[in-house]
Amino acid sequence: MERIIGLLDLDYFYAQCEIIRNHSLRGKPVVIVMPSIRENSGVIVTCNYEARALKIKAGMSLALAKKLANSSTIFINADKEYYEELSVKVFDIVDYFCEKVEQVSIDEAYFDLSNHVGYDRAQEVALKIKQRIKSELGLTCSIGVGPNRLIAEMASLVKKPDGFFVVPSFEVDSFLSKCKVSDLM
């Protein structure tokens, strides 16, 4: 049996969760902050693509992010309990379709599609997972499928956000020949 692995990565997960909770945030730059004990201090955990267009990114200090922000940028303190609740619901969906799931973070998991016999069937199952997450929870994710974890992860990045990309085992050499060395890190 051919090994087929998928990687699901929830797009800008914390920010998406906040947009689901408050639809008026849609289309605005949304920045999720892990506050520190000092007032008006913290670090950016994630942000949506509108905020990324302003050069705001994860790991950045709150002070620098505020300098880069525009007047419509929304800063929200992280609500990990809420995000964990949604994460459980997401991975319940993945568990429904796949016997072997390895969650590696609150918003990312590898799942084994080998039992679905062939890339065509594996692709159908991965797309069903993606569609159910969107229809039931309102969340987008990027999914990559390949013969191993590395290729699945690289494939998940190809069409981010809300992407889907499959690299069958017979196309791995061609896929890798188009990648930069930095894509492997």
Side-chain angles (χ1 to χ4, degrees):
M1 175 175 18
E2 183 173 23
R3 187 163 186 232
I4 304 173
I5 303 297
L7 174 78
L8 180 144
D9 184 7
L10 292 158
D11 302 319
Y12 57 97
F13 179 53
Y14 295 178
Q16 264 202 99
C17 292
E18 294 296 344
I19 292 166
I20 287 169
R21 183 162 39 190
N22 179 354
H23 293 290
S24 71
L25 299 175
R26 192 170 308 280
K28 296 177 182 170
V30 176
V31 181
I32 307 302
V33 180
M34 186 60 66
S36 79
I37 56 173
R38 291 187 355 219
E39 192 172 326
N40 292 322
S41 180
V43 67
I44 305 312
V45 180
T46 192
C47 56
N48 65 359
Y49 283 84
E50 289 84 353
R52 292 175 193 188
L54 300 171
K55 307 290 187 222
I56 299 171
K57 58 185 179 180
M60 178 178 283
S61 72
L62 177 59
L64 178 54
K66 285 187 172 183
K67 287 179 185 175
L68 296 170
N70 63 26
S71 61
S72 64
T73 304
I74 309 294
F75 290 87
I76 301 171
N77 286 342
D79 182 352
K80 294 237 0 181
E81 188 174 302
Y82 169 59
Y83 309 147
E84 287 169 0
E85 287 173 20
L86 280 176
S87 177
V88 166
K89 291 176 182 178
V90 167
F91 294 111
D92 283 347
I93 292 170
V94 179
D95 287 339
Y96 175 82
F97 288 98
C98 301
E99 293 175 18
K100 295 179 186 174
V101 178
E102 182 184 345
Q103 189 171 346
V104 293
S105 69
I106 193 169
D107 68 342
E108 189 173 69
Y110 292 97
F111 51 99
D112 193 331
L113 294 161
S114 304
N115 289 344
H116 297 288
V117 188
Y119 277 91
D120 289 341
R121 182 70 181 118
Q123 181 172 326
E124 287 175 26
V125 171
L127 281 170
K128 283 181 184 177
I129 292 169
K130 186 173 172 43
Q131 290 162 347
R132 274 200 51 197
I133 291 168
K134 177 76 174 194
S135 68
E136 292 179 22
L137 303 173
L139 293 166
T140 64
C141 63
S142 295
I143 294 180
V145 176
N148 59 48
R149 291 167 59 128
L150 175 64
I151 300 301
E153 184 168 354
M154 291 173 69
S156 75
L157 299 171
V158 171
K159 295 187 177 180
K160 243 179 154 4
D162 198 17
F164 184 80
F165 197 77
V166 178
V167 181
S169 54
F170 60 88
E171 291 182 12
V172 168
D173 289 344
S174 173
F175 175 72
L176 288 174
S177 72
K178 297 172 189 157
C179 296
K180 300 176 208 156
V181 172
S182 60
D183 294 338
L184 296 170
M185 298 179 180

